C-alpha cells in the first residue's frame, strides 16, 4: 500500500473524495516549542532600586586630582582649606522613567476550546507578552541608543546615553559622533557611509585602551558585553598565533576555543555575549533607521548600574470588548548609572 502523506490539518483534511483516512486520529503533541531566546543579559547583571518620580536623579562625586601638598609650618586653616573650596566636583544626574507596555486580546471561543499545549490562551499570551516586554527593555538599555527624554513619549536614556569613556576603533573615526555632553543622558550619532567601509574589526588593543581609560578615570571594568559575532572575533583574536594566549585543554581533554575571561593590564574582564546586540533593528541618536548590529561593545562594572522602578511589572485585565478578554501588561522604570566614569563604549565595529 502506498504511504499516506497528510497535509496541514491532519488526516481529515487529506481524506480526499474516498474518505479512506477519516477515522484516523491526529497525532498532535501536547506542547508548544518556542525557540526564540528569552534572556536579558544586561538587565539581569545589574542591580534593582526604587524610583519615586518621573525624573529619577542621583549625585556623583570624585576626589580632587592628586598634586603637591606641602604646606609651610604654621600655615593658617584658610590656606590649607583653599583647595577644597576651589574644586567642587559633585554632579547631579538624572534619567526619565519610560512606560513599557504590551496588550493581550483573546476571544471567548479561544479560551473555551480544548487546545494542545495550552491550558488557557489568555494566560499563555500574558506570559509570552511579558517575556517579549522584558526583551524590549533589554533592547532599549543596550541597543536602541535611546536619549533621556522627558517630553512627549518619555524615553529612558540607555547605556550609550551615560558612557563617559569612548574608544572609536582604528579607521572608523567617521562611524560615530560622540555626544556633546557625556554622562548627561544624551547619545552619540551613528554615521554610516554607503558601504560600512569606515568600520573595523574588534582588536585586543581596543579592549586594553578602554580598560586603561576607565582605570585612569578611577573605575575598574569587570564585564565586556558584545554581540555573538564580536564574541567569536574576540576569541579568535585572543588565541591567534601572535597573541601569546594558548588554548586551554582541561583534565577531561576538552579543547576550549572560547575566551570567557580576559586578564588585561588593568584587571580581569568577563566576555559576555548578548544576542540583542547582534540584531538589525536599531536607531541612532537622531531616531533614523540604522543598521548598527555588532556596532559596539559595552565595557562596564555592574555595580554602577541599577534598574530604578517607579511602577513594577503588573497585569491589568481591562475587561471585555464584545466577546474578547483584553489585558494589559505595564511597567515604568529607568536606568540609573551611579557613576558614568565607571563604564565605557567601544564603537565603530564591523559585524
Amino acid at each position: 500500500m502506498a504511504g499516506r502523506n497528510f497535509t496541514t490539518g491532519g488526516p481529515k483534511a487529506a481524506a480526499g473524495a474516498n474518505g479512506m483516512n477519516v477515522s484516523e486520529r491526529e497525532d498532535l503533541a501536547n506542547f508548544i516549542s518556542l525557540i526564540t531566546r528569552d534572556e536579558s543579559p544586561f538587565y539581569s547583571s545589574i542591580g534593582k532600586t526604587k524610583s519615586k518620580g518621573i525624573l529619577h536623579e542621583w549625585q556623583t562625586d570624585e576626589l580632587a586630582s592628586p598634586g603637591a601638598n606641602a604646606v609651610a609650618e604654621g600655615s593658617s586653616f584658610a590656606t590649607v582649606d583653599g583647595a577644597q573650596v576651589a574644586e567642587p566636583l559633585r554632579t547631579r544626574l538624572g534619567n526619565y522613567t519610560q512606560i513599557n507596555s504590551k496588550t493581550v486580546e483573546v476571544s471567548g471561543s479561544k479560551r473555551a476550546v480544548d487546545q494542545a499545549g495550552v491550558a488557557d490562551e489568555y494566560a499563555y499570551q500574558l506570559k509570552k507578552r511579558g517575556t517579549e516586554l522584558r526583551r524590549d527593555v533589554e533592547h532599549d538599555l543596550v541597543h536602541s541608543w535611546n536619549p533621556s527624554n522627558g517630553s512627549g513619549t518619555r524615553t529612558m536614556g540607555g547605556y550609550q546615553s551615560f558612557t563617559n569613556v569612548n574608544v572609536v576603533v582604528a579607521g572608523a573615526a567617521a562611524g560615530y559622533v560622540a555626544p556633546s555632553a557625556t554622562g548627561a543622558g544624551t547619545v552619540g550619532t551613528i554615521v554610516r557611509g554607503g558601504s560600512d567601509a569606515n568600520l573595523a574589526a574588534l582588536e585586543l588593543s581596543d579592549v586594553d585602551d578602554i580598560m586603561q581609560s576607565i582605570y585612569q578615570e578611577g573605575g575598574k571594568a569587570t564585564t565586556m558585553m558584545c554581540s555573538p559575532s564580536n564574541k567569536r572575533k574576540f576569541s579568535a583574536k585572543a588565541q591567534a598565533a601572535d597573541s601569546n594566549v594558548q588554548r586551554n585543554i582541561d583534565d577531561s581533554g576538552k579543547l576550549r576555543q572560547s575566551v570567557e575571561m580576559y586578564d588585561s593590564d588593568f584587571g580581569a574582564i568577563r566576555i559576555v555575549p548578548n544576542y540583542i546586540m547582534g540584531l538589525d533593528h536599531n536607531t541612532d541618536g537622531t531616531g533614523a533607521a540604522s543598521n548598527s548590529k555588532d556596532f559596539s561593545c559595552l565595557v562596564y562594572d555592574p555595580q554602577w548600574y541599577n534598574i530604578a522602578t517607579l511602577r513594577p511589572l503588573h497585569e491589568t485585565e481591562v475587561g471585555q470588548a464584545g466577546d474578547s478578554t483584553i489585558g494589559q501588561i505595564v511597567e515604568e522604570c529607568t536606568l540609573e548609572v551611579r557613576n558614568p566614569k565607571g563604564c565605557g563604549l567601544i564603537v565603530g565595529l564591523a559585524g
Side-chain angles (χ1 to χ4, degrees), residues 13-14 17 47 101 112 164 205 211 223 251 276 281 292 297 305 311:
S101 180
N164 191 74
S205 58
M211 291 287 285
T223 303
D251 294 338
I276 289 179
H281 57 286
S292 57
C297 289
Y305 291 85
R311 291 187 289 162

Side-chain angles (χ1 to χ4, degrees), residues 97-121:
T97 58
Q98 175 177 304
I99 302 171
N100 309 299
S101 180
K102 291 279 187 179
T103 58
V104 174
E105 182 175 355
V106 178
S107 70
S109 297
K110 200 67 173 177
R111 297 191 74 175
V113 297
D114 184 14
Q115 299 187 81
V118 179
D120 180 356
E121 185 66 28

Side-chain angles (χ1 to χ4, degrees), residues 96-180:
Y96 286 98
T97 58
Q98 175 177 304
I99 302 171
N100 309 299
S101 180
K102 291 279 187 179
T103 58
V104 174
E105 182 175 355
V106 178
S107 70
S109 297
K110 200 67 173 177
R111 297 191 74 175
V113 297
D114 184 14
Q115 299 187 81
V118 179
D120 180 356
E121 185 66 28
Y122 182 78
Y124 175 80
Q125 291 297 333
L126 277 178
K127 181 178 180 181
K128 183 178 177 181
R129 294 291 177 265
T131 302
E132 291 172 351
L133 186 144
R134 184 57 63 237
R135 286 166 28 119
D136 291 345
V137 173
E138 179 80 1
H139 170 270
D140 288 342
L141 290 172
V142 304
H143 195 45
S144 69
W145 299 77
N146 271 0
S148 181
N149 174 40
S151 63
T153 300
R154 295 194 304 275
T155 57
M156 62 177 173
Y159 184 98
Q160 293 87 349
S161 298
F162 289 93
T163 51
N164 191 74
V165 182
N166 297 299
V167 168
V168 181
V169 301
Y176 177 74
V177 177
S180 56

Side-chain angles (χ1 to χ4, degrees), residues 215-297:
Y215 175 82
Q216 290 174 331
E217 291 284 0
K220 184 178 180 181
T222 61
T223 303
M224 183 176 84
M225 189 163 287
C226 57
S227 69
S229 176
N230 281 323
K231 173 67 164 62
R232 289 189 62 188
K233 289 179 180 179
F234 181 86
S235 293
K237 292 289 177 64
Q239 302 191 77
D242 58 349
S243 68
N244 295 323
V245 178
Q246 295 182 348
R247 296 183 185 180
N248 177 39
I249 301 179
D250 61 21
D251 294 338
S252 65
K254 183 184 293 184
L255 178 62
R256 299 187 180 276
Q257 168 69 21
S258 171
V259 174
E260 298 180 358
M261 185 70 70
Y262 178 67
D263 197 358
S264 75
D265 287 330
F266 304 96
I269 185 169
R270 294 173 57 244
I271 313 301
V272 179
N274 189 326
Y275 65 101
I276 289 179
M277 296 176 68
L279 301 180
D280 284 335
H281 57 286
N282 191 9
T283 56
D284 61 19
T286 66
S290 175
N291 176 23
S292 57
K293 65 176 183 178
D294 308 316
F295 184 77
S296 62
C297 289

Side-chain angles (χ1 to χ4, degrees), residues 8 32 41 47 62 66 87 95 170 185 188-189 199 211 238 276-278 280 316 342:
T8 301
I32 298 175
E62 58 186 285
E87 195 172 1
N95 202 358
T189 302
L199 305 182
M211 291 287 285
I276 289 179
M277 296 176 68
D280 284 335
T316 300

